[in-house]
Amino acid sequence: MDTDRPFSHDPRTRIADALEATLEALRLARRELAGARAEPERWRWVALGLVSAVQAGLIAALSGYASARHEDVANPSQPDRVAPVSLLLRRARSTEHLNAPERLDLTGAQVRDLEALVAMRNAAVHGLGFQVADHPVHLVRTAAEILRHLLKTHPAFDVSQFVLVLTLIDTELTRIVTETTPNDP
């Protein structure tokens, strides 16, 4: 989701919009990932797609409970805009916003991986001298794990209303993970 776009105050609409944004971002990441080994500059678009997908997935998760509020996904300094990934991630890891098992419990390594992916995305978007991370495939897999947790394994929202888009998201995640799996005999 684009942080500069306003978003719905209605949680169900916000979840639907976030899931659509997740799907589109994953499609971008997968298309670019297919050629990233041959053309390393394509990693910038992989990072952009994955960070956008994680942000949208976090919005869907944080909007899922009956007690969800607009403020749960809003940027405190601009309440009509989506919060940045770092703030959404902090909220998704907090007992104030999500209960177990929906709450996102990450290892320190996973948090660092996501931070590295966000840094790659920021460098690409803001022209800050983009460089590919040392192990970009590992970052891709971490983002996929986070999205699977939020949207498939332990969604915080009623999945019955979003079966098709969640199936398409799962298909994209499977393709991305397959693309990053070594072809060792």
Side-chain angles (χ1 to χ4, degrees), residues 1-7 55 78 80-82:
M1 293 192 86
D2 185 349
T3 57
D4 291 334
R5 285 189 358 218
F7 58 98
Q55 181 182 38
Q78 295 178 305
D80 61 328
R81 304 289 184 218
V82 173

Side-chain angles (χ1 to χ4, degrees), residues 116-142:
L117 193 62
V118 169
M120 279 177 58
R121 177 247 178 226
N122 289 346
V125 170
H126 301 295
L128 301 174
F130 177 79
Q131 292 182 342
V132 178
D134 290 338
H135 303 286
V137 168
H138 189 71
L139 306 181
V140 170
R141 294 177 138 238
T142 297

Side-chain angles (χ1 to χ4, degrees), residues 30-90:
R30 181 185 48 80
R31 280 192 311 266
E32 294 303 315
L33 184 60
R37 287 192 177 109
E39 300 173 57
E41 64 274 3
R42 293 177 78 173
W43 278 105
R44 71 182 66 236
W45 304 114
V46 174
L48 174 67
L50 289 174
V51 171
S52 296
V54 168
Q55 181 182 38
L58 289 164
I59 290 168
L62 291 166
S63 300
Y65 288 172
S67 59
R69 304 166 304 144
H70 175 266
E71 294 80 17
D72 295 340
V73 297
N75 187 337
S77 63
Q78 295 178 305
D80 61 328
R81 304 289 184 218
V82 173
V85 173
S86 59
L87 183 54
L88 293 172
L89 186 63
R90 201 165 35 248

Side-chain angles (χ1 to χ4, degrees), residues 1 11 14-19 22 53-69 72-73 88-89 91-94 96-99 101-104 146-152 154-159 162 166:
M1 293 192 86
R14 195 165 55 240
I15 292 167
D17 291 348
L19 294 176
T22 301
V54 168
Q55 181 182 38
L58 289 164
I59 290 168
L62 291 166
S63 300
Y65 288 172
S67 59
R69 304 166 304 144
D72 295 340
V73 297
L88 293 172
L89 186 63
R91 289 173 181 169
R93 297 176 70 202
S94 166
E96 286 182 44
H97 293 278
L98 295 175
N99 297 319
E102 294 92 2
R103 186 176 51 246
L104 194 56
I146 291 169
L147 286 166
R148 282 202 192 275
H149 175 87
L150 294 171
L151 305 178
K152 183 174 172 68
H154 297 293
F157 52 89
D158 179 8
V159 297
F162 310 103
L166 287 169

